[in-house]
Amino acid sequence: MAGKIRNYYAGGNTARGFYSLYDSNLQGLDWLFILKGGPGTGKSSLMKTIGREWHERGYDIEYLHCSSDNKSIDGVMIPALKTGIVDGTHPHVIEPSAPGAIEEYVNLGEAWDSTALHKEKETIIKLNKHISEAFRQAYDTFKEALAVHDEWELIYIQSMDFEKANELTGKLIEQFFGKMKLNKTGEVRHRFLGAATPKGAVDFVPNLTEDVQKRYFIKGRPGSGKSTMLKKLAKSGEERGLDVEIYHCGFDPHSLDMVIFRELGIAIFDSTAPHEYFPNRGGDEIIDMYELLFPKGTDEIFEDRLSEIAGRYKAKMREATAHLARAKELHDDLEKIYIAAMDFKKVEAIRERLASQIRELARSKV
């Protein structure tokens, strides 16, 4: 029987540049294989193949998706084996904690023809420069979009009933945890439930919450206290010794979009665009922050101003996504050069060597 697959991001293209949460997701591993090699060298395919093998063996698998390429992954984790494989090339630089003892480098550059790549040196340098510029433009534009979003939030912040917001949060803390206090230190993981990608916003909310019994869908407006409430709930869960999955906002990583307490079977998340969902199974519940915390008619009072701000925000987000799409196009061109210089029989040999190491690790744990 195949295991479960969990999908998320550990790095993202955000209004604060490329933002990495890799350290949080690599903690506690006994073995970490760090792949080195250029674009098109088969890193993602290698990880998918090994992930598929262990999934078919009945193990739960976690895929760390790539925010810059919708078809690629940046890592695969096999939690039961405390083993992971990650792409260790820019921008997700992995700092080893115990090289050789935990982390091991796997160099896919062994399989390329350096002479063939040298002939394309000027093109490679030019493409890398253009790719970096496209990402810089995307990050700058996301930053501009965040400034517009702050204007949007301010309208609602000035109208919100903070006393009611605190009461709501306190009620949920009591409802979730009561007097619970576990005799252990909780394991806390920081991740992204989605990302800004070349194809726009993508999220894995349905996958991440599929085996959670109770889901809370937070509805509201920008600045209605959704992230603040999630931060307080996460802190309360951690203080009680619970394992906590904290999912940051893929646009502004300083904000939160979801918290999951799997030991309690609870997930609570911001269910507004671009990750808007509605209850579709028993146990699902909506928490409407706008309805609970704002005077009736707030939307109507500021309707014209809100419409103008929303228009500017959406335009900036479209512009930033276009820059990511351009970076992807250029990266595809770069990949073609490397693919033509690769000996994929050697890549397959490297993959099989790595796969054999992991099988041996699994046998040693039996």
Side-chain angles (χ1 to χ4, degrees):
M1 181 178 175
K4 293 178 181 177
I5 292 176
R6 196 159 287 158
N7 301 289
Y8 56 88
Y9 293 87
N13 301 306
T14 81
R16 303 180 192 279
F18 181 82
Y19 201 92
S20 175
L21 295 172
Y22 276 83
D23 287 350
S24 179
N25 292 284
L26 303 181
Q27 63 183 349
L29 295 178
D30 288 340
W31 286 95
L32 176 64
F33 297 95
I34 302 172
L35 304 184
K36 293 292 186 178
T41 53
K43 298 185 296 295
S44 179
S45 295
L46 181 155
M47 290 186 285
K48 286 179 180 178
T49 300
I50 291 178
R52 187 161 52 247
E53 174 188 341
W54 288 95
H55 175 239
E56 291 171 354
R57 285 171 177 255
Y59 285 74
D60 292 345
I61 298 296
E62 296 178 359
Y63 286 122
L64 283 61
H65 287 256
C66 176
S67 58
S68 300
D69 183 344
N70 296 76
K71 294 182 179 180
S72 293
I73 61 170
D74 283 338
V76 59
M77 300 290 145
I78 313 170
L81 301 182
K82 293 189 176 181
T83 297
I85 313 171
V86 292
D87 180 344
T89 57
H90 182 79
H92 22 71
V93 178
I94 312 298
E95 293 294 340
S97 59
I102 296 175
E103 297 90 1
E104 180 177 328
Y105 287 102
V106 179
N107 182 18
L108 295 180
E110 295 174 12
W112 64 37
D113 182 342
S114 296
T115 302
L117 290 174
H118 185 75
K119 291 177 182 176
E120 300 287 348
K121 179 180 69 173
E122 297 303 322
T123 303
I124 290 171
I125 291 172
K126 185 186 296 183
L127 282 170
N128 275 319
K129 180 181 178 182
H130 291 326
I131 291 168
S132 294
E133 177 60 18
F135 276 117
R136 186 194 65 77
Q137 290 175 323
Y139 299 149
D140 286 350
T141 309
F142 279 131
K143 186 176 180 180
E144 291 170 1
L146 181 59
V148 176
H149 198 270
D150 287 344
E151 292 180 47
W152 201 347
E153 287 189 341
L154 187 59
I155 292 174
Y156 288 101
I157 289 171
Q158 291 173 337
S159 303
M160 187 168 73
D161 187 326
F162 284 92
E163 187 175 333
K164 284 185 178 179
N166 289 331
E167 288 175 2
L168 173 62
T169 302
K171 179 182 175 183
L172 287 173
I173 289 172
E174 176 63 26
Q175 186 175 321
F176 286 8
F177 313 122
K179 299 186 183 303
M180 180 186 300
K181 178 68 176 177
L182 303 183
N183 189 28
K184 70 178 181 68
T185 300
E187 185 179 273
V188 179
R189 302 284 184 175
H190 292 267
R191 298 167 173 167
F192 293 104
L193 61 80
T197 79
K199 292 186 177 180
V202 173
D203 73 78
F204 292 113
V205 170
N207 169 261
L208 291 166
T209 64
E210 66 184 358
D211 55 355
V212 175
Q213 290 78 32
K214 182 72 177 178
R215 301 188 301 176
Y216 294 86
F217 297 63
I218 308 174
K219 302 293 182 180
R221 309 291 189 270
S224 58
K226 300 185 295 294
S227 175
T228 299
M229 184 169 73
L230 288 172
K231 288 176 180 177
K232 290 179 179 179
L233 287 167
K235 183 180 179 183
S236 292
E238 184 180 357
E239 289 172 347
R240 287 163 169 77
L242 286 162
D243 296 340
V244 187
E245 293 173 29
I246 299 173
Y247 292 87
H248 294 246
C249 172
F251 170 55
D252 179 7
H254 290 182
S255 292
L256 301 188
D257 275 345
M258 179 165 71
V259 179
I260 298 180
F261 307 102
R262 292 199 184 273
E263 291 157 303
L264 303 181
I266 292 174
I268 179 166
F269 61 96
D270 180 341
S271 185
T272 57
H275 33 79
E276 184 173 24
Y277 293 93
F278 295 91
N280 61 2
R281 67 184 204 214
D284 288 350
E285 185 175 327
I286 287 177
I287 299 173
D288 192 327
M289 306 286 275
Y290 179 73
E291 184 180 294
L292 295 170
L293 308 180
F294 291 85
K296 288 185 178 179
T298 299
D299 284 346
E300 290 74 16
I301 292 171
F302 299 100
E303 183 177 2
D304 291 344
R305 191 173 164 200
L306 289 168
S307 177
E308 186 272 333
I309 291 173
R312 281 192 287 128
Y313 172 73
K314 290 174 183 175
K316 284 296 178 185
M317 294 299 283
R318 285 194 297 269
E319 182 184 341
T321 300
H323 290 308
L324 290 180
R326 177 59 179 156
K328 174 65 169 59
E329 289 175 8
L330 294 164
H331 194 269
D332 288 347
D333 291 339
L334 189 61
E335 281 192 338
K336 291 173 186 174
I337 296 172
Y338 279 85
I339 289 170
M342 292 295 291
D343 181 342
F344 284 100
K345 288 183 180 178
K346 290 184 179 179
V347 174
E348 178 59 21
I350 293 170
R351 184 201 64 75
E352 182 51 41
R353 186 173 73 231
L354 177 54
S356 295
Q357 281 183 263
I358 296 174
R359 291 180 202 122
E360 185 58 38
L361 289 171
R363 281 192 287 271
S364 70
K365 287 181 177 290
V366 175

